[in-house]
Amino acid sequence: MVRNMSLTKVPMPEQDPNIRNKNFLEVTTGYTPEMAIEEAKRCIQCKQKPCMKGCPVGVKIPEFIALVAKGKFEEAYQKIVETNSLPAICGRVCPQETQCEGVCIRGIKGEPVAIGRLERFVADYHMENSCEVAFKVESNGHKVAMVGSGPASLTCAGDLAKLGYEVTIFEAFHVPGGVLMYGIPEFRLPKSLVQSEINLLCKSGVDIQTNMVIGKILTIDELMEDYGFEAVFVGTGAGLPKFMGIPGENYNGVFSSNEFLTRVNLMKAYKFPDVDTPVNVGERVVVVGGGNVAMDAARSAKRLGAKDVYIVYRRSENEMPARLEEIHHAKEEGIIFKTLNNPTEILADENGWVTGIKIQKMELGEPDASGRRRPVAVEGAIEELKCETVIMAIGQSPNPLIKNTTPDIDTEFWGGIIADEKTGATSKPGVFAGGDAVTGAATVILAMGAGKQAAKAIDEYIKSK
Ligand SMILES: Cc1cc2nc3c(=O)[nH]c(=O)nc-3n(C[C@H](O)[C@H](O)[C@H](O)COP(=O)(O)OP(=O)(O)OC[C@H]3O[C@@H](n4cnc5c(N)ncnc54)[C@H](O)[C@@H]3O)c2cc1C
């Protein structure tokens, strides 16, 4: 096989920015088979395989890429799902630049191999061309419950079902999938993909009970004592929004990013009037924050018809936690960046409807405890931005419901569940935890890695009883 020694990745086709900022269709449209083979040939199959060590679920990256290079796409898919049950999702939303691609040898001189794009291609190829056969293993008679249905629980459930466990997922919302369904917008992660990966899990015997808020309808103790679950995995995520505590945050037109994105994604506000969930953002929207969530909220607001959408972030662009690709896409779509600015007050009319926001100019001072340079206010430099909507996207923390109803599970002062790093075991025997509920807001692949580790530990725990 002739290697492709190009220093750059085969470009990803995408919708024109001025067209896509008015629709909710996927931004990037995916490789063709020819493009995938061409890109796969850029992998030099190095002996060290650093990419695999950079992947929290240990996908056999060089092996699947070698199969893609030979045009063996279905075999490549089977290689990936040996360790990763959600490849169509990971191929789209994983921060590959800091994981597998971040350590790729081809990245030393030029761009790394486009591992994420290839993973997505293979998963999409499989969905389009294969008749999916779900695995179904004979029951081993042991019951395990998952609380929450995000990527941590879905992964844990899938791995346990493969071992014969009878798994039930309890989800508070009416739709399973966690942030994959209610947070990440359709234009980055089509919901039909998430749904079909969940359907496969159900066909494999996993039972999903929606509208079940554990801690309200049933407690963890009741699941274990009255319903016969021998172990429980808590994957409840970090869905509690944070606010800044500035004046005006309770005015009409101020949203948490969670509420805004849930209305847009889960309640399908973008299909209004066909769907009865109107979200009227007005002409001007200010999104506060600099992470992926802020980018998603801003880009969604633009698509809902806002003329001017601002990102207000108190540090500089270099410190923004959002993926570079998301920042790049947001800028292309016309989002206006007001970096080194910090909101101080939200303004409203006499009826309490938002009319604007005051922002304080900042400059970077000495590094703080996080190692990043601390933003310091520039005296007297306050500006007013006119707007009708303000979306707060400054972070989330775990909901205290589980902590409050299961006091024998130890938690951190900020609400995160304390769980063993390798097994997910909590202070309560038989209860394991992982994903954002333990780490605070993190990533899909880290949540999946935690779900995987916990599945192994739950299997060992039940066998040792
Ligand atoms: C807008 C947005 C964009 C993001 N973009 C990216 C990205 O591009 N790449 C990336 O890797 N990560 C991204 N993330 C982060 C990523 O989605 C999360 O790290 C990941 O989903 C965490 O998975 P989880 O399974 O721990 O929890 P979640 O996905 O949060 O799922 C938890 C589930 O538990 C349910 N639940 C909570 N409490 C209860 C209860 N008491 N009883 C029953 N059910 C309950 C919730 O309803 C929810 O469905 C993003 C996050 C957001 C919010």
Side-chain angles (χ1 to χ4, degrees), residues 76-91:
Y77 174 81
Q78 295 304 335
K79 187 55 70 186
I80 296 176
V81 292
E82 281 177 21
T83 52
N84 179 357
S85 51
L86 308 173
I89 295 166
C90 292

Side-chain angles (χ1 to χ4, degrees), residues 93 95 147-152 170-173 178-179 183-184 188 212-214 235-237 261 292-293 296 396 401-402 435-436 442-444 447:
V93 302
V147 185
S149 65
F170 295 96
E171 166 57 46
F173 270 135
V179 170
I184 305 179
R188 281 213 293 131
M212 284 295 289
V213 187
I214 300 304
T236 43
L261 289 170
N292 286 327
V293 182
D296 283 345
Q396 294 102 237
L401 191 57
I402 294 295
D436 285 5
T443 62
V444 171

Side-chain angles (χ1 to χ4, degrees), residues 205-219:
V206 173
D207 178 30
I208 303 186
Q209 300 280 329
T210 52
N211 297 313
M212 284 295 289
V213 187
I214 300 304
K216 286 256 188 238
I217 299 173
L218 288 174
T219 62

Side-chain angles (χ1 to χ4, degrees), residues 122-349:
V122 167
D124 289 0
Y125 177 90
H126 170 82
M127 281 192 196
E128 278 158 30
N129 295 286
S130 304
C131 173
E132 195 67 82
V133 184
F135 63 87
K136 184 108 197 211
V137 179
E138 204 178 314
S139 164
N140 64 12
H142 297 285
K143 285 171 63 176
V144 182
M146 309 281 125
V147 185
S149 65
S153 296
L154 293 176
T155 306
C156 188
D159 281 14
L160 286 170
K162 278 186 194 153
L163 296 172
Y165 287 91
E166 290 175 23
V167 183
T168 305
I169 297 180
F170 295 96
E171 166 57 46
F173 270 135
H174 60 289
V175 172
V179 170
L180 305 177
M181 287 303 273
Y182 78 75
I184 305 179
E186 181 77 24
F187 57 82
R188 281 213 293 131
L189 181 64
K191 302 305 151 218
S192 56
L193 288 175
V194 183
Q195 199 53 62
S196 60
E197 299 209 325
I198 293 175
N199 288 348
L200 196 61
L201 205 60
C202 295
K203 281 192 205 153
S204 310
V206 173
D207 178 30
I208 303 186
Q209 300 280 329
T210 52
N211 297 313
M212 284 295 289
V213 187
I214 300 304
K216 286 256 188 238
I217 299 173
L218 288 174
T219 62
I220 289 184
D221 285 329
E222 283 168 335
L223 288 176
M224 298 179 89
E225 287 158 22
D226 302 343
Y227 289 84
F229 291 102
E230 290 169 68
V232 174
F233 175 77
V234 182
T236 43
L240 190 71
K242 289 186 187 158
F243 285 89
M244 291 183 71
I246 57 173
E249 278 181 310
N250 54 353
Y251 285 141
N252 300 320
V254 180
F255 292 86
S256 71
S257 54
N258 268 37
E259 180 187 348
F260 177 72
L261 289 170
T262 302
R263 281 171 184 260
V264 176
N265 295 315
L266 200 64
M267 316 295 286
K268 307 271 181 238
Y270 65 92
K271 290 187 175 167
F272 182 79
D274 296 339
V275 170
D276 193 14
T277 311
V279 176
N280 183 1
V281 288
E283 293 250 299
R284 292 153 299 189
V285 175
V286 169
V287 179
V288 182
N292 286 327
V293 182
M295 300 303 141
D296 283 345
R299 296 170 71 196
S300 298
K302 187 85 186 171
R303 283 163 170 78
L304 288 179
K307 206 157 81 22
D308 298 327
V309 180
Y310 300 92
I311 289 267
V312 171
Y313 178 60
R314 65 193 182 126
R315 299 179 197 254
S316 78
E317 194 173 313
N318 290 338
E319 286 84 26
M320 276 194 164
R323 292 182 67 190
L324 283 180
E325 184 178 82
E326 302 311 325
I327 295 174
H328 169 72
H329 278 150
K331 283 188 173 171
E332 274 187 341
E333 290 168 13
I335 308 299
I336 306 156
F337 281 58
K338 300 283 277 182
T339 51
L340 285 170
N341 274 291
N342 200 26
T344 54
E345 186 180 352
I346 298 170
L347 309 168
D349 62 19

